[in-house]
Amino acid sequence: MQTNQSRRKFLGAAALGLASTQMSFTEVLSSVRVGPAPLTPLGPIKQINAGPLDVGYVDAGPADGPVVILLHGWPYDIYSYADVVPLLTARGYRVIVPWLRGYGTTRFLDANTIRNGQQSAFAADTLALMDALSIKKAVVGGFDWGARGADIMALLWPDRVKGIVSVSGYLVVNLEANKQPLPPKAELGWWYQYYFATERGRVGYDRNRHEFNKLIWKLASPKWNFDDATYERTAAAFDNPDHVAIVIHNYRWRLSLAPGEPQYDEHEGTLATGPVVTVPAITIGSDFDGANVDGKAYAKKFTGKYEHRILNGIGHNVPQEAPQAFAQAIIDVDKF
């Protein structure tokens, strides 16, 4: 779950002429899973060596179709896109959905590789996957860590990105900004990152990751009536042997409590300047975003063709709670 503290105090207002499309709750009701329902199958799972990883991923749709890469966040997995994938493949897209490092069947190739959870490492993993699959260019979509990954892909390698869909907008971590305290009420929302900063928190998450992550689901999407089968299908991804190490490092790195790796220093230096996204983009705000739901706080960070959409009544896991709305955003940004 993203805890980029700077997102709550983004500078700037909506740029003149930027489109903001508000979708009412009744308009997205049809795309929200309410109560128990048959789980949409997703698979088969494939494996490929890409960068430092043996990546587990789904590759669906026609092999020669325009490519879409969908990135999940914490504590979620590829099944957040189970209902999005068939909507896109039906439109002729080739859809790639990888498990991030520390999730599912994705594994490190070398036991000695640092279990690094810093932001640019995830984006570099996506680039390596594209190279391994001989994908020159793709639309990249995501939420939570995945939205940050989409943002960073567009910022660091815009020539490889046709467009992005980013839930919660511009989520690039600024380490210096994250050293500054927020008002107490805002700090309360990030309780888990302080827990993870301690050894007690690391052990507690390791022992209780199943219950812990289910609690996060409920807190982040209080109106989403997911059933046990839906959660259990994703919870299996948390049994990855590197999961705890990646999650703990991710949150400690954000607070400058853990170092990154030197090979990512140049990327992080670029991201620290607060660059703008120049590729076509659609951002999505939901109930999870609170005062930032309208997107005005980060609109100036998107200087290409841009649109912001609001999903009322939807929580943080947008692609699983509102798959039709998310899939439509992918289709639309591809046409920009």
Side-chain angles (χ1 to χ4, degrees):
M1 187 175 183
Q2 82 260 13
T3 59
N4 182 6
Q5 297 165 341
S6 62
R7 61 175 273 214
R8 294 200 175 254
K9 47 183 178 177
F10 283 122
L11 300 176
L16 184 63
L18 295 181
S20 179
T21 302
Q22 176 146 1
M23 299 178 67
S24 70
F25 182 53
T26 54
E27 288 177 306
V28 298
L29 267 179
S30 62
S31 64
V32 181
R33 186 189 302 282
V34 179
L39 298 180
T40 304
L42 185 63
I45 305 301
K46 299 182 178 181
Q47 298 289 142
I48 191 168
N49 289 354
L53 303 172
D54 174 18
V55 179
Y57 68 103
V58 167
D59 187 344
D64 60 349
V67 180
V68 174
I69 298 175
L70 301 176
L71 305 174
H72 68 82
W74 173 85
Y76 307 97
D77 86 325
I78 63 174
Y79 290 104
S80 288
Y81 296 104
D83 293 322
V84 172
V85 170
L87 295 173
L88 294 176
T89 58
R91 298 292 292 268
Y93 289 97
R94 178 186 179 190
V95 185
I96 311 294
V97 192
W99 268 303
L100 302 183
R101 52 172 62 193
Y103 294 81
T105 64
T106 294
R107 298 287 188 275
F108 284 88
L109 295 171
D110 188 340
N112 296 317
T113 300
I114 296 173
R115 273 37 178 178
N116 181 356
Q118 74 183 103
Q119 61 182 359
S120 57
F122 290 104
D125 290 346
T126 305
L127 182 68
L129 179 61
M130 290 179 68
D131 289 342
L133 294 173
S134 299
I135 295 171
K136 293 182 179 180
K137 203 162 191 174
V139 172
V140 183
F143 71 106
D144 196 79
W145 294 10
R148 181 172 297 111
D151 289 339
I152 295 173
M153 286 291 296
L155 292 169
L156 297 181
W157 302 288
D159 58 317
R160 305 294 296 274
V161 180
K162 187 174 183 182
I164 66 170
V165 172
S166 178
V167 174
S168 299
Y170 190 87
L171 296 177
V172 179
V173 174
N174 184 307
L175 294 180
E176 289 303 312
N178 276 4
K179 293 178 181 179
Q180 299 303 313
L182 297 172
K185 186 175 181 180
E187 295 284 14
L188 179 63
W190 312 132
W191 61 273
Y192 48 86
Q193 72 178 350
Y194 302 112
Y195 182 62
F196 289 162
T198 68
E199 178 61 14
R200 174 189 175 98
R202 185 195 67 78
V203 174
Y205 185 63
D206 192 9
R207 291 179 182 175
N208 305 302
R209 68 187 86 170
H210 185 280
E211 294 80 9
F212 194 103
N213 290 341
K214 192 171 188 178
L215 173 62
I216 295 296
W217 277 34
K218 292 177 179 178
L219 293 175
S221 300
K223 296 179 182 178
W224 181 32
N225 186 27
F226 61 88
D227 58 18
D228 288 341
T230 298
Y231 177 73
E232 295 297 338
R233 179 170 63 169
T234 284
F238 310 144
D239 291 332
N240 183 292
D242 303 306
H243 178 74
V244 173
I246 293 297
V247 171
I248 296 301
H249 184 268
N250 179 281
Y251 287 102
R252 290 182 181 181
W253 176 82
R254 296 191 206 186
L255 294 180
S256 299
L257 298 176
E261 291 183 90
Q263 65 262 39
Y264 301 112
D265 286 351
E266 183 177 353
H267 296 330
E268 296 298 346
T270 298
L271 297 174
T273 66
V276 297
V277 174
T278 58
V279 306
I282 292 177
T283 56
I284 297 175
S286 69
D287 287 2
F288 177 82
D289 297 301
N292 287 327
V293 69
D294 60 10
K296 292 180 179 179
Y298 49 74
K300 286 186 176 179
K301 289 295 187 180
F302 298 88
T303 60
K305 188 169 183 181
Y306 173 64
E307 189 174 302
H308 181 72
R309 299 178 178 182
I310 298 173
L311 301 183
N312 293 317
I314 301 300
H316 192 38
N317 187 359
V318 168
Q320 200 160 5
E321 296 178 65
Q324 292 177 5
F326 189 90
Q328 191 61 54
I330 293 288
I331 295 167
D332 291 344
V333 83
D334 181 45
K335 297 177 181 177
F336 277 7

